[in-house]
Amino acid sequence: MTENSESLERDVVAASRRFTLYDFVQLILSNWYWFALSIVVCYMCAAFYMRRTAPTYQRTASILVKDSRKGSSSEVTAFSDIMGGMGRRSVDNEIHILHSRRLMADVVNKFDLATVYTTSGRIRTVDMYGRSPMLVKFITLNPNKAGQFKYTVDNEGKVHIGSFLDNETYRATVIPGDTVSTPMGEVVFVATPYMDRYNNQEITVSKYPLNEVIESYRKRLQCNITDKMTSVINITMSDVVPKRAEDVINGIIEAYNADAIEDKRAISDLTEKFINDRLVILSDELNTADSEIASFKQANQIYSPRDEASMSAEEISRLKQENMSLEASLEIAKYILDYVNNDTSGPSLIPAAAVTMSGASSGLASQIDAYNQSVLDYKRLLSDSSTSSPVVVELGLQIATMRNVIITSLESHIEGLKMQINKVKNERLYADSRMISSPTKEKELLSITRQQKVKEELYIYLLTKLEENALTGATAESNARVIDYAYGSNKPISPRGMMIYLMAMIIGVMIPFIILYILELLNTSVRSRREIEEALSAPFIGDIPQYQGKAEYGIVVKENSRDVISESFRIMRTNISYMSIDNAVQVITLTSSIPHSGKTFISTNLAMTLAISGKKVLLMDLDLRRRTLSKMMGHRNDRRGLTSYLTGAIPSLNDVISKTSLHDNLDMIFAGPQPPNPAEMLMSHRVDTMMQELRDRYDYIILDSVPAMAVADAMIIDRFVDLTIYVIRQGNLDRRHLPDIEQLHRDKKFRNMCVVLNGVTHSKRTYGYGYGYGYGYGYSYGYSYISDSDNEYVPMWKRRWRKFKRLFKKRK
């Protein structure tokens, strides 16, 4: 093929692949019944899905995590970067605790969520949570073993059980409250208030492994922070039974609060033990001091000390009080330091009350409070995770850092106390120097009495803290405050009916559209006038609608008829007359690329149209091989035909011209017997002589010729033809043949070549354009629509099936 031919073929293929918005709309309109059927089916599937799928409801609760930094001093803030911070990070820790396996296990066991009760409804299975007629208690079954059975409660209140997975033949009848041995171990049936509502209804009891149930509910439980600037946590869960979602959420909140209170009470118990131990020691020391004073007074006969000197009495009294307080604080601080240094068993709690008793600053007390809280979080996380968990390791490092900070602070505090004690002692030495005149025994008595006072004050102070600690333990509160318990709308969140039906409608439209579009892409046949006009430069003189009725001799054009197909041929006749303005058109031949294009149908009806207009017309069958026109007119084996005249068997031309009953102005020449050499016969001079004689007799001579791409007969007779009508049948010719037709026109292989589109159907015409005189008509004569044997009409479904098979044959 030449370069111009290749370029032409590319242009034709590109033009055939165009698919505009208009084509899209017309594709839907022309196949509306498929779209309607698809939408109805998809809608029914969506309705079945809505009825089959159990609705899911959502429940949400809100809690406020109390800020651990509230009321703390600036010293705690200064150490917040070392101590790990107590703001947002503490809220994240609480989320981990709320989502912990331990709390969920408590909830699952509390509500027996590992046991599921269901019954079969009309369409779907119904979950019977909270309204089962009987509750089943498994006594000896392994919690991580699964099983299933069914039971029915009769009108007398007896329970009939059976259909066990492990033993389907087992059957038993029990009374509620009795223990029965089953393939799943010993079980007890407990009656509920709903027992009378579901008499004789089969209930399925499914027991799932405990660990799987816990993990399943943990995955479904969602804990989120509403705002980064707040410490409010939203706890959300979805379930087919809204009451179960409410029970799980509220159960988690209750377990979380109880766990937090238990932690605080543990700290209170530890502090109480520490204070009681110190009280025992101080009680012994006070008894010893009292005995020493009594012995000293007895031995030295001192019963009432003299008053101190008036000038230093007030100062010495103040220094005594200050010194006693400092020494008590020093002793407690040393005890706490020893307690922290000697604790090698791992992170443990530090008595919080002892810090305040040591006279330490509020910063050190806050550090120890933060340390105790971190130790509790560490132990709580360690119970759900391993020691190698990143969260546990990070929290352990923070605790170690905080412990070092506390030790450093205690050492600094002790050094400060020592410096203050030395200062007070120096001041006392100065005050005592002024009392040098006081008796030495009195000074010794004062020293002993001073030690007694220190221990007495410390003892009273510990008694006070013991009462405060008891009050704190009794009124311990949780770390969070419940804002809203589980609540939610009675409208399900899924399946969403509006969305499901909308998707069903979209899918219902897309399925037939995709199928039709793919079929259009696979269909390489000529489908419209537009494709012809875009690919060919030859004049287009008309498109003939498909005729789906039966016609005598294939003639559908009637005189004075105003139907669509008659108007199509009249338009075609008018266009031919326009082409006769410059060059007279008298001899017209019809050819095509492939057989079954409808050349015979168009030639006969065109001849009839010209005859009706008052023209003398001769219709000649020049398809000497197939003789389609002759067969259609009932002259299959007629010896009086064209071949007989060309061979000389019939000498007179008048003897081969047949008058017809179709119209007075229409004559015919049939093909005659099939010759062995049609091409050579058409090349004879006798044909030229015959055509010249016929030109003198008739206004129009219509030649029904052979396909141009099949044999050379069409090109041979072109020497005496004035106009060549190239017939293209819709859906019959492959678009890849259009470049060959265009090349024939450019090379002027046929004289005055023009094109007509035959067999235009309603659905096909929507992809092109026509003259606007109507749709849905055409003819049924031809090899694709009418049986060759008995001229029987072929139903539409058979025509569709044949077209489908031809489509894939062309693709191969």
Side-chain angles (χ1 to χ4, degrees):
M1 186 178 288
T2 63
E3 182 178 354
N4 292 335
S5 299
E6 293 177 355
S7 176
L8 176 62
E9 183 174 0
R10 287 195 299 268
D11 295 340
V12 172
V13 173
S16 64
R17 290 178 179 175
R18 296 173 185 168
F19 195 80
T20 64
L21 179 61
Y22 176 79
D23 296 335
F24 171 76
V25 174
Q26 293 299 326
L27 177 65
I28 295 178
L29 295 179
S30 60
N31 298 277
W32 65 269
Y33 43 89
W34 291 115
F35 287 91
L37 178 62
S38 178
I39 291 174
V40 170
V41 171
C42 291
Y43 183 86
M44 293 175 62
C45 293
F48 178 78
Y49 173 79
M50 291 290 295
R51 294 291 302 274
R52 182 71 176 174
T53 305
T56 302
Y57 301 88
Q58 187 179 74
R59 292 296 181 262
T60 303
S62 301
I63 61 173
L64 174 65
V65 178
K66 297 175 182 178
D67 193 353
S68 59
R69 297 178 301 175
K70 187 174 181 180
S72 62
S73 64
S74 60
E75 296 181 17
V76 177
T77 306
F79 289 98
S80 60
D81 56 337
I82 300 176
M83 297 166 62
M86 297 300 295
R88 173 66 184 278
R89 183 177 297 275
S90 66
V91 178
D92 292 336
N93 290 339
E94 300 307 315
I95 290 178
H96 282 287
I97 295 172
L98 286 168
H99 207 262
S100 64
R101 188 181 185 279
R102 180 170 54 84
L103 293 183
M104 185 58 72
D106 294 341
V107 174
V108 171
N109 291 326
K110 178 181 179 181
F111 296 104
D112 194 18
L113 299 179
T115 305
V116 179
Y117 306 88
T118 58
T119 185
S120 298
R122 294 183 179 178
I123 297 180
R124 62 171 178 259
T125 301
V126 180
D127 196 310
M128 301 292 291
Y129 177 84
R131 50 196 179 99
S132 174
M134 289 286 172
L135 295 180
V136 181
K137 303 296 182 181
F138 295 93
I139 300 175
T140 60
L141 181 65
N142 186 346
N144 289 315
K145 183 180 178 181
Q148 187 182 83
F149 70 93
K150 298 179 180 180
Y151 75 85
T152 304
V153 180
D154 60 18
N155 295 329
E156 298 179 358
K158 296 181 180 180
V159 183
H160 305 274
I161 60 176
S163 301
F164 285 82
L165 290 180
D166 299 335
N167 189 354
E168 295 186 358
T169 61
Y170 177 86
R171 296 288 186 275
T173 301
V174 297
I175 298 175
D178 291 347
T179 301
V180 60
S181 180
T182 68
M184 295 179 63
E186 294 183 352
V187 298
V188 177
F189 287 85
V190 180
T192 68
Y194 301 93
M195 184 176 65
D196 297 334
R197 297 187 183 180
Y198 300 98
N199 287 341
N200 301 317
Q201 185 169 348
E202 189 177 62
I203 306 297
T204 302
V205 181
S206 302
K207 183 68 170 65
Y208 296 99
L210 181 62
N211 292 332
E212 294 181 5
V213 174
I214 292 173
E215 293 303 321
S216 174
Y217 278 95
R218 285 186 64 197
K219 292 178 181 178
R220 291 164 56 189
L221 187 70
Q222 302 294 328
C223 300
N224 301 307
I225 302 174
T226 58
D227 191 353
K228 294 181 179 180
M229 303 302 295
T230 64
S231 57
V232 177
I233 300 176
N234 283 341
I235 307 174
T236 305
M237 185 177 179
S238 300
D239 200 284
V240 295
V241 181
K243 186 178 184 306
R244 182 163 51 198
E246 294 174 2
D247 290 344
V248 171
I249 293 175
N250 294 334
I252 284 291
I253 295 175
E254 292 175 2
Y256 168 78
N257 289 336
D259 188 68
I261 293 174
E262 187 65 26
D263 290 341
K264 292 186 177 181
R265 286 178 177 172
I267 297 176
S268 177
D269 293 342
L270 183 62
T271 303
E272 181 180 358
K273 182 178 180 300
F274 168 76
I275 294 176
N276 287 328
D277 292 342
R278 290 302 301 161
L279 285 174
V280 172
I281 296 174
L282 286 175
S283 178
D284 294 338
E285 291 179 353
L286 280 174
N287 291 333
T288 302
D290 291 339
S291 299
E292 288 179 356
I293 291 174
S295 299
F296 182 83
K297 287 183 177 181
Q298 231 176 18
N300 295 279
Q301 297 181 353
I302 300 175
Y303 301 101
S304 58
R306 295 182 300 175
D307 294 333
E308 297 183 33
S310 58
M311 295 182 60
S312 59
E314 184 178 355
E315 182 179 1
I316 291 174
S317 178
R318 180 184 62 81
L319 292 175
K320 284 181 181 181
Q321 295 294 331
E322 185 175 356
N323 186 50
M324 286 188 295
S325 177
L326 291 175
E327 286 181 353
S329 298
L330 178 61
E331 185 175 355
I332 294 176
K334 288 181 178 180
Y335 174 82
I336 295 174
L337 181 60
D338 293 337
Y339 180 87
V340 174
N341 287 328
N342 295 330
D343 187 11
T344 60
S345 61
S348 60
L349 300 173
I350 299 175
V355 180
T356 307
M357 292 186 294
S358 67
S361 62
S362 58
L364 179 57
S366 299
Q367 293 176 24
I368 293 178
D369 290 340
Y371 175 85
N372 288 337
Q373 185 62 40
S374 298
V375 169
L376 290 175
D377 292 342
Y378 178 85
K379 291 182 178 180
R380 191 181 299 112
L381 293 175
L382 190 60
S383 64
D384 292 331
S385 306
S386 63
T387 56
S388 60
S389 173
V391 178
V392 175
V393 172
E394 181 184 0
L395 189 55
L397 294 176
Q398 293 178 6
I399 290 173
T401 302
M402 296 169 65
R403 183 172 177 272
N404 293 334
V405 172
I406 291 172
I407 291 174
T408 303
S409 299
L410 285 172
E411 290 176 350
S412 300
H413 179 57
I414 290 172
E415 291 299 324
L417 291 176
K418 289 180 179 180
M419 293 177 62
Q420 293 180 22
I421 291 173
N422 291 333
K423 181 181 178 181
V424 172
K425 285 182 178 180
N426 291 333
E427 292 177 357
R428 283 195 59 231
L429 289 174
Y430 175 74
D432 288 343
S433 65
R434 292 183 299 176
M435 298 180 63
I436 194 63
S437 60
S438 298
T440 303
K441 292 180 180 181
E442 185 178 355
K443 290 175 61 178
E444 292 177 3
L445 179 59
L446 289 176
S447 177
I448 296 173
T449 304
R450 183 172 59 249
Q451 295 297 328
Q452 181 196 30
K453 293 295 184 183
V454 169
K455 291 178 175 55
E456 183 180 358
E457 290 182 2
L458 181 57
Y459 186 85
I460 296 173
Y461 181 79
L462 289 178
L463 285 176
T464 305
K465 290 301 178 183
L466 181 63
E467 292 299 323
E468 292 179 358
N469 183 72
L471 181 62
T472 301
T475 60
E477 60 180 4
S478 64
N479 294 335
R481 188 180 70 183
V482 179
I483 299 176
D484 290 309
Y485 284 100
Y487 69 96
S489 173
N490 291 328
K491 184 178 180 181
I493 60 172
S494 68
R496 304 170 68 178
M498 186 66 69
M499 184 63 66
I500 295 296
Y501 289 122
L502 179 60
M503 290 301 298
M505 180 173 293
I506 294 175
I507 294 174
V509 173
M510 292 303 299
I511 289 176
F513 174 75
I514 292 174
I515 294 175
L516 292 173
Y517 184 69
I518 291 176
L519 291 178
E520 290 297 326
L521 293 179
L522 295 177
N523 184 9
T524 59
S525 62
V526 175
R527 296 171 296 180
S528 67
R529 171 180 176 177
R530 184 185 67 189
E531 293 176 350
I532 296 176
E533 292 185 341
E534 289 178 347
L536 304 180
S537 58
F540 187 88
I541 63 172
D543 46 0
I544 307 301
Q546 179 182 356
Y547 181 74
Q548 294 184 348
K550 292 184 179 181
E552 183 181 7
Y553 303 121
I555 303 295
V556 297
V557 175
K558 305 297 181 181
E559 191 170 4
N560 299 323
S561 176
R562 291 294 181 267
D563 57 10
V564 175
I565 196 167
S566 299
E567 291 297 332
S568 299
F569 279 101
R570 292 188 183 101
I571 292 174
M572 183 177 173
R573 180 188 64 191
T574 303
N575 291 334
I576 292 174
S577 64
Y578 288 152
M579 300 183 69
S580 303
I581 295 177
D582 297 331
N583 299 307
V585 174
Q586 190 174 4
V587 180
I588 303 173
T589 184
L590 288 91
T591 185
S592 63
S593 295
I594 57 177
H596 315 317
S597 297
K599 300 183 297 298
T600 303
F601 174 80
I602 294 180
S603 62
T604 54
N605 285 277
L606 177 61
M608 188 67 177
T609 303
L610 293 173
I612 291 174
S613 65
K615 303 295 183 181
K616 191 69 174 176
V617 182
L618 175 67
L619 178 59
M620 184 184 299
D621 187 2
L622 279 186
D623 187 355
L624 303 182
R625 302 172 189 272
R626 297 181 62 89
R627 299 168 297 159
T628 305
L629 177 61
S630 301
K631 294 176 182 179
M632 185 179 69
M633 295 297 176
H635 294 267
R636 180 186 298 268
N637 299 316
D638 194 351
R639 295 287 180 180
R640 192 169 62 92
L642 177 62
T643 56
S644 299
Y645 173 76
L646 295 179
T647 57
I650 297 178
S652 174
L653 181 60
N654 294 328
D655 294 336
V656 298
I657 298 177
S658 300
K659 298 292 184 179
T660 68
S661 60
L662 301 175
H663 200 277
D664 295 338
N665 294 332
L666 179 61
D667 297 337
M668 293 187 183
I669 297 179
F670 301 107
Q674 183 175 357
N677 54 348
E680 289 76 8
M681 186 174 292
L682 292 175
M683 294 175 62
S684 65
H685 293 289
R686 191 173 178 85
V687 175
D688 296 331
T689 304
M690 178 191 67
M691 293 303 300
Q692 185 60 41
E693 184 177 349
L694 292 175
R695 282 177 179 270
D696 297 336
R697 295 185 182 185
Y698 295 96
D699 297 321
Y700 287 100
I701 303 172
I702 309 298
L703 307 179
D704 184 17
S705 185
V706 297
M709 298 294 184
V711 291
D713 297 10
M715 295 185 182
I716 293 174
I717 65 175
D718 186 67
R719 66 184 186 273
F720 49 77
V721 171
D722 300 325
L723 178 67
T724 300
I725 300 177
Y726 207 98
V727 180
I728 298 176
R729 186 168 190 165
Q730 190 180 67
N732 188 40
L733 179 67
D734 198 310
R735 291 194 298 272
R736 291 171 291 185
H737 290 171
L738 293 179
D740 299 333
I741 300 175
E742 176 64 14
Q743 195 65 40
L744 291 175
H745 175 64
R746 292 187 178 184
D747 295 343
K748 299 187 182 301
K749 296 293 185 179
F750 296 105
R751 187 173 303 174
N752 293 331
M753 177 178 168
C754 58
V755 181
V756 64
L757 179 62
N758 184 31
V760 178
T761 61
H762 170 68
S763 60
K764 300 295 183 180
R765 289 169 65 90
T766 56
Y767 294 100
Y769 46 82
Y771 297 107
Y773 44 75
Y775 300 111
Y777 299 90
Y779 66 95
S780 295
Y781 177 81
Y783 295 93
S784 297
Y785 299 97
I786 299 296
S787 173
D788 291 334
S789 59
D790 54 4
N791 214 30
E792 180 183 358
Y793 175 70
V794 180
M796 179 180 292
W797 68 270
K798 287 188 178 180
R799 298 200 303 270
R800 298 281 186 181
W801 174 247
R802 291 176 183 177
K803 178 183 176 183
F804 183 77
K805 292 193 294 183
R806 290 200 308 272
L807 175 64
F808 282 92
K809 286 181 180 179
K810 293 178 182 179
R811 296 298 297 176
K812 293 179 181 179

